[in-house]
Amino acid sequence: MDMQTMYYEVVSIDGDYANLKRTDIQSEDQKLVARALLPEDILEGIRLKYEMMQYEIEV
């Protein structure tokens, strides 16, 4: 089974949602994601890795 890994940056946080921008491909599109699906301690500018249907802070 092929698991795709995607990388995002938290562009902005607005209440219960965060706007994410892909950083592993060339795109200006943003993705609106419920904060309940993201790590608790995210801040604007944090980079995230999305793999196996989970977001984690990229270290």
Side-chain angles (χ1 to χ4, degrees):
M1 183 156 75
D2 182 26
M3 293 288 166
Q4 185 176 11
T5 302
M6 294 176 261
Y7 295 90
Y8 293 92
E9 179 179 343
V10 179
V11 176
S12 63
I13 297 172
D14 185 16
D16 291 336
Y17 295 90
N19 286 299
L20 307 181
K21 180 182 174 203
R22 289 274 302 263
T23 59
D24 58 320
I25 62 169
Q26 188 73 11
S27 174
E28 292 301 317
D29 294 337
Q30 292 186 9
K31 179 178 183 177
L32 187 64
V33 178
R35 288 191 62 191
L37 300 174
L38 302 172
E40 285 184 31
D41 49 350
I42 64 162
L43 300 170
E44 291 180 6
I46 293 282
R47 295 187 181 271
L48 301 171
K49 177 171 81 169
Y50 179 76
E51 187 173 51
M52 296 179 60
M53 297 176 36
Q54 291 186 353
Y55 292 94
E56 63 183 47
I57 295 176
E58 184 182 18
V59 287

